[in-house]
Amino acid sequence: MSVKIATWNVNSIRARADRIEAWLLRSDVDVVAIQETKATDENFPWELFENNGYEVAHFGLNQWNGVAIASRVGLDDVERTFMDQPHFGKTDDAVHAEARAIAATCAGVRVWSLYVPNGRSRNDPHMAYKLQWLDVLKKHAADWLQADPQAQIALTGDWNIAPRDEDVWDIEKFQREELTHVSEPERAAFRAFEEAGYIDVVRPIHPGPGTYTYWDYTQLRFPKKEGMRIDFILASPALASRVTDAIIDREERKGKGASDHAPVIVELD
DNA sequence: ATGGTTGCAAAGCAA
């Protein structure tokens, strides 16, 4: 049985409701991992998914971040945050970790919807937070594979990292201006997942250069084809062996009211 | 043209 799994940073689920509904009908995905809902459970549009045949689980604490998974092939063992997920700022405050990670098992695949923190700038405290957040997640991800080398795991989401020079539209500018997403510590953090056995299953099907998943709203970046590849589906080996196709749905970035990220889809046998 | 976009939420922050 073929299964389609997608990841999409929607940049507000309420502002994007109509486009998301149209996209669900058009894309025919079975599972979609969503980032940046910018919603709480109270104002989350549950009916948007339920009316279209999807179960949905959401994790949102305020107007920032927010992650969800919608599925029409089962949605079991929902998990919000991962163990010891770092907090930003004081460690002695009693607030929850930010709403950046949710998992569920869908058709036998452990799907994670991840919204990796933005480092803001290379020396900002948020960068250390980002790297720590990734390091803790990577340790768990490595443990899961060690415990079961046949596990079917999809680490999907907005990683806020461009792993290769070709993943940004002007690497010279990014390095000259010491921008984020392309720094060596960020790339090492991403590489650590690959070294743990996870595989970017979209890049082999859609190689670069010029293949992007995100285009800034400003400066006419999309029409000028000035984007970044920062949204990834990393698959465990057993899951990677099932991948038959992938799509970066650049069409969805077009027109009025688009998210600044395109959906990324993989098809499994 | 000293800006340029979007969303949340109600001024400024975040991306």
Side-chain angles (χ1 to χ4, degrees):
Chain A
M1 175 185 103
S2 170
V3 180
K4 288 188 201 175
I5 299 179
T7 183
W8 188 12
N9 179 324
V10 297
N11 185 16
S12 172
I13 197 144
R14 289 173 287 164
R16 216 70 61 211
D18 289 348
R19 283 192 71 129
I20 291 169
E21 183 165 41
W23 181 83
L24 285 174
L25 296 170
R26 169 163 66 86
S27 65
D28 196 40
V29 296
D30 297 295
V31 181
V32 56
I34 296 168
Q35 300 87 39
E36 271 208 276
T37 63
K38 293 185 170 177
T40 61
D41 282 354
E42 286 65 37
N43 58 28
F44 185 87
W46 305 96
E47 67 288 346
L48 167 62
F49 298 94
E50 291 159 357
N51 291 347
N52 289 289
Y54 294 82
E55 297 177 85
V56 62
H58 176 243
F59 178 33
L61 299 169
N62 50 43
Q63 69 269 46
W64 294 295
N65 315 308
V67 284
I69 299 177
S71 170
R72 62 182 187 190
V73 290
L75 189 73
D76 300 320
D77 301 318
V78 173
E79 190 177 349
R80 289 168 175 80
T81 77
F82 47 83
M83 201 191 315
D84 301 321
Q85 182 180 315
H87 301 200
F88 180 77
K90 294 191 176 77
T91 54
D92 60 346
D93 62 7
V95 300
H96 300 279
E98 293 177 318
R100 294 181 175 276
I102 189 170
T105 300
C106 310
V109 180
R110 191 63 178 163
V111 178
W112 281 89
S113 179
L114 304 166
Y115 181 38
V116 175
N118 188 307
R120 302 195 184 186
S121 67
R122 293 192 187 187
N123 294 316
D124 192 288
H126 287 88
M127 180 59 77
Y129 166 55
K130 173 182 190 173
L131 297 173
Q132 177 67 12
W133 196 96
L134 285 163
D135 188 56
V136 174
L137 175 62
K138 181 263 298 177
K139 288 188 168 91
H140 290 306
D143 287 346
W144 300 329
L145 267 188
Q146 194 122 41
D148 178 9
Q150 296 306 310
Q152 301 200 43
I153 304 168
L155 305 178
T156 85
D158 177 357
W159 292 73
N160 270 318
I161 297 171
R164 299 189 188 179
D165 285 356
E166 68 179 31
D167 295 337
V168 297
W169 55 276
D170 185 348
I171 188 60
E172 286 75 18
K173 170 188 170 67
F174 274 71
Q175 296 298 9
R176 182 174 62 247
E177 299 181 10
E178 301 188 349
L179 303 179
T180 60
H181 294 66
V182 299
S183 73
E184 182 47 35
E186 290 168 283
R187 288 177 166 180
F190 187 88
R191 212 156 47 231
F193 285 85
E194 298 178 310
E195 287 160 0
Y198 292 85
I199 300 153
D200 176 351
V201 290
V202 175
R203 190 185 295 274
I205 298 168
H206 294 287
T211 302
Y212 308 125
T213 65
Y214 161 87
W215 299 260
D216 196 289
Y217 283 127
T218 67
Q219 308 289 344
L220 298 174
R221 291 287 184 233
F222 183 67
K224 288 155 72 176
K225 305 186 190 305
E226 296 176 346
M228 303 167 69
R229 189 202 287 253
I230 57 176
D231 300 272
F232 296 97
I233 297 176
L234 298 191
S236 63
L239 186 66
S241 70
R242 293 180 57 196
V243 173
T244 56
D245 199 4
I247 296 168
I248 298 173
D249 191 355
R250 194 176 168 282
E251 290 299 307
E252 180 52 37
R253 181 62 179 80
K254 295 181 178 176
K256 189 172 173 57
S259 170
D260 41 2
H261 294 253
V264 179
I265 308 168
V266 292
E267 189 167 342
L268 312 171
D269 68 9

